[in-house]
């Protein structure tokens, strides 16, 4: 199982990558058919906040997707992974 962390309009620091990978790894407890998890983080300069999206590619099912927006990037990552 692989976890990708992708940043748009921002650089993904080691702290962001470690936090996103730790939260995304918790999805394995709920569904064992996960093949790939992609966490996309984006800075929205016009809205002065962040957007996080977690997409879990799973076997024999549609992808699980969670989206979250907020002023705190780490809280947005937590919420997106919880929704997925």
């Amino acid at each position: 199982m692989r976890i990708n962390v992708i940043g748009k309009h921002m650089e993904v620091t080691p702290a962001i990558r470690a936090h996103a990978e730790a939260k995304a790894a918790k999805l394995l407890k709920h569904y064992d058919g996960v093949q790939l998890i992609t966490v996309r983080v984006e800075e929205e300069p016009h809205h002065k906040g962040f957007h996080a999206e977690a997409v879990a590619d799973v076997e024999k099912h549609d992808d699980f997707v969670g989206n979250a927006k907020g002023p705190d990037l780490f809280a947005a990552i937590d919420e997106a992974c919880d929704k997925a």
Side-chain angles (χ1 to χ4, degrees):
M1 202 268 322
R2 203 174 51 175
I3 299 173
N4 293 336
V5 181
I6 301 169
K8 184 175 179 182
H9 303 298
M10 62 181 294
E11 180 183 346
V12 177
T13 63
I16 294 170
R17 182 177 305 282
H19 182 76
E21 287 176 350
K23 287 300 285 189
K26 292 182 180 180
L27 293 173
L28 295 174
K29 290 192 290 188
H30 302 289
Y31 192 76
D32 61 351
V34 177
Q35 296 175 339
L36 170 69
I37 299 173
T38 304
V39 178
R40 291 184 188 94
V41 292
E42 176 180 3
E43 184 176 7
E44 297 180 330
H46 300 298
H47 299 290
K48 306 222 181 345
F50 297 95
H51 176 246
E53 178 184 53
V55 179
D57 182 23
V58 296
E59 295 176 349
K60 302 177 185 172
H61 198 279
D62 292 336
D63 293 349
F64 298 137
V65 181
N67 288 296
K69 292 184 180 183
D72 181 22
L73 175 61
F74 292 99
I77 292 171
D78 291 348
E79 188 177 346
C81 288
D82 290 342
K83 287 180 179 180

